[in-house]
Amino acid sequence: MEKENELFGVKEIARRANVSTATVDRVLHNRTGVSEKTKAKINAIIKEMDYQPNILASRLASKKIISLAALLPDVSEETDFWSAPLNGIRRAEAEMKQYGVQVQVFLFDLNNKDSFADQIRLVLDAGFHGILISPSFIEETRKFAAECVRRKIPYVFIDSDIPDLHSLSYIGPHLRKSGYVGAKLLTYRLEPEKKVLIINISKEIDNFNYLEIEDGFRAYFNDNNQPNEIVRIDIRETDYQSVARHLTYVFHLNKDIGAAFVTNSRVHTVASFLKNSHRTHVSLIGYDFVKENVDYLEDNVIDFLICHRPDDQGYRGMMALYQTLVVNAPVTKQNYMPIDIVTKENYEFYQN
Amino acid sequence: MEKENELFGVKEIARRANVSTATVDRVLHNRTGVSEKTKAKINAIIKEMDYQPNILASRLASKKIISLAALLPDVSEETDFWSAPLNGIRRAEAEMKQYGVQVQVFLFDLNNKDSFADQIRLVLDAGFHGILISPSFIEETRKFAAECVRRKIPYVFIDSDIPDLHSLSYIGPHLRKSGYVGAKLLTYRLEPEKKVLIINISKEIDNFNYLEIEDGFRAYFNDNNQPNEIVRIDIRETDYQSVARHLTYVFHLNKDIGAAFVTNSRVHTVASFLKNSHRTHVSLIGYDFVKENVDYLEDNVIDFLICHRPDDQGYRGMMALYQTLVVNAPVTKQNYMPIDIVTKENYEFYQN
DNA sequence: CTGAAAGCGCTTACAG
DNA sequence: CTGAAAGCGCTTACAG
């Protein structure tokens, strides 16, 4: 007598199709070596059953380990911002380890384009199954993306996006909107005759991110007919002395600056200047939950910090790779993070 | 010849202890029927190996399904707030299904204490392995907790906490700090001679949550020597007519109210009143990302909404139960959610 | 192009 | 108190 009860999963498919489970497995994973005819029959049954593979069993049986790489800027003296995404990546790693997924982290120097290119080489040569990358330099990233496409390796961008590069997913802020939010906060209590200062502190001349933010910032002024005059300054040296020198000059030229907006995490340098020069009445807004900035929040020199959940970016970036490579589930291409507003009063609950 | 290569997991433990894997399994799960001697020997080996069980294999082999219950207020005409935690719970459910975990949701009427008690009965009688609950009514929750403790069922509170009830975890806001943040935002551009209005709209007279929030709100005024006079009103009927009547009266008595703070999600009712009575110059802050409130954000009547990631609360609440029951990992007892500030400019990215 | 058999690391009756 | 054996739902050589 044959077994009467319905079997589960691949066995049931095999029974119905009158083949072995090995053949079912081949079809399930699009492997070669199955006749079109049996393939069609099996696929029909899979559809009919609305078969959902048991990932537990799959990962348990498969000895193949999946290896993911994460390519991020190193934490530097200047900023520990990137420790947050790294945390998120580690969190994802812990969860995925169970499923036979390994994670390797590669760090580069944000002030050194060559180190970025070098690490890309390393990652590419090591043959990872999926890659998370912070696309800090455009041209190098472009080459990287082309190579990944050629090798069919999925890759995810976090923190900033370069569109049209066919990344599996972008996970990070909508920078333009983020600048828009900055402008709202900055003008919320600003008197109409006061000037507003946009400060851009960066060694990279052509950083597209800051331009996006500034664009959004200005858009808010237009959309809301804000009368305030906007003054803008680019500072190419990031050390305190240089920043202070430039700011002294700007404040000398413009007596009535009521608020300042810094387009990145270097806002603490400006805070330091404002404090030293007794200008803490100037509203100050900038980016990122890093220690130096939080200290100036605490000190009432920085009014608001805008943040984009950096740890979640790392976590979700890795999970996006996991979703494609392990679960074989679809992934959203654009994942804009919330634009969080951090103040002296709520920062203690922000980081988890 | 014996097998030379080291085995993995339970097999290796069994080999070293000279017992069968069944016995190892018994020790691993604290089951009865193992002599103290072998138990000690096995435990020593487990420790020595720093053995980590493979949860995949465990869940796959075990036919036992784990069932979790979630007990939440139903979405009502008044508010769809609770759809967000429910979403998070569903998200958790989808992830846990793989591991043989089932989730069942029980809904009660927030305006009906009896329905809360009824659902508690149902949940308790059904014999779930773990329970997530929104402890909306104190006394009933107290009884519920006692019963769970007696039966050794872990339970998690979300959204609001009742301390000293031995819940596995609380996941939700620090209400006092949340009120504090509200005060900061409310006073940020408030002129010193203006009055501030605290509005409490709730049928429940003794709702401890609102008192916590108000306490934090007032604390900010003290800590920062805010000169503004605070006017306070309790409204026991939640319909628009009643609210409008009360507010008309308060605004009649106090000509110089510059800002209003509503201690819950009914802020949209106040917004509606302010708009209808042409008082939109009054700054307005309240709670929760619900449709009606977002509409008034969009309309510039509500200035800020404070939110505590309701979907994450549901998700993390279920995950806490999963951690104890399936992974057997420790769980943080207090999980304060971030106090998020939502504005017209950033709300579109808030909900995911 | 296809299948029989072993195995992933656990758990579960069942028998003693 | 303990163990042999079967099995969870897949995947993987290996053989044909």
Side-chain angles (χ1 to χ4, degrees), chain B residues 16-31:
Chain B
R16 295 202 200 179
N18 235 294
V19 297
S20 72
T21 58
T23 298
V24 173
D25 192 69
R26 288 182 186 105
V27 173
L28 243 20
H29 296 287
N30 276 312
R31 298 204 190 89

Side-chain angles (χ1 to χ4, degrees), chain B residues 94-110:
Chain B
E95 278 184 29
M96 301 187 301
K97 208 164 62 181
Q98 298 271 7
Y99 288 91
V101 178
Q102 284 187 351
V103 174
Q104 204 173 327
V105 175
F106 296 79
L107 301 171
F108 61 90
D109 179 353
L110 204 43

Side-chain angles (χ1 to χ4, degrees), chain B residues 193-351:
Chain B
E193 70 282 2
K194 294 285 191 182
K195 289 183 189 169
V196 167
L197 181 59
I198 300 180
I199 307 171
N200 221 301
I201 309 175
S202 165
K203 288 178 188 160
E204 281 282 306
I205 294 189
D206 58 342
N207 193 308
F208 53 104
N209 297 335
Y210 306 149
L211 297 179
E212 278 281 296
I213 291 174
E214 187 175 331
D215 189 45
F217 187 85
R218 289 177 183 274
Y220 181 87
F221 280 71
N222 278 336
D223 291 355
N224 295 275
N225 300 313
Q226 283 288 143
N228 312 272
E229 182 186 330
I230 298 179
V231 179
R232 170 182 198 292
I233 179 170
D234 267 293
I235 305 180
R236 293 269 157 264
E237 301 99 329
T238 60
D239 62 299
Y240 177 73
Q241 294 307 332
S242 306
V243 172
R245 187 156 30 81
H246 280 92
L247 291 180
T248 304
Y249 183 66
V250 171
F251 274 91
H252 176 74
L253 286 185
N254 301 276
K255 293 295 174 201
D256 39 7
I257 291 174
F261 178 67
V262 184
T263 54
N264 64 18
S265 60
R266 297 212 168 82
V267 57
H268 58 86
T269 317
V270 177
S272 181
F273 168 79
L274 291 181
K275 191 173 180 186
N276 292 341
S277 61
H278 308 289
R279 289 193 174 89
T280 53
H281 59 277
V282 174
S283 298
L284 180 60
I285 294 182
Y287 279 87
D288 298 338
F289 191 93
V290 299
K291 192 184 174 313
E292 295 88 338
N293 289 346
V294 172
D295 287 347
Y296 283 110
L297 263 189
E298 186 60 62
D299 203 14
N300 290 316
V301 183
I302 295 178
D303 290 60
F304 296 103
L305 286 173
I306 298 176
C307 310
H308 309 115
R309 307 205 186 162
D311 28 6
D312 263 21
Q313 288 185 36
Y315 177 81
R316 296 174 66 162
M318 295 311 279
M319 281 311 184
L321 292 171
Y322 173 83
Q323 286 295 315
T324 16
L325 292 167
V326 180
V327 185
N328 203 2
V331 160
T332 326
K333 207 168 154 18
Q334 301 258 55
N335 254 296
Y336 291 121
M337 299 305 286
I339 299 168
D340 288 325
I341 299 167
V342 176
T343 74
K344 177 178 180 177
E345 290 73 22
N346 73 2
Y347 80 80
E348 72 175 295
F349 302 110
Y350 189 64
Q351 206 83 306

Side-chain angles (χ1 to χ4, degrees), chain A residues 10 25 29 31 51 54 57-58 61-62:
Chain A
V10 286
D25 192 68
H29 296 286
R31 298 206 189 87
Y51 168 72
N54 182 323
S58 168
S62 172

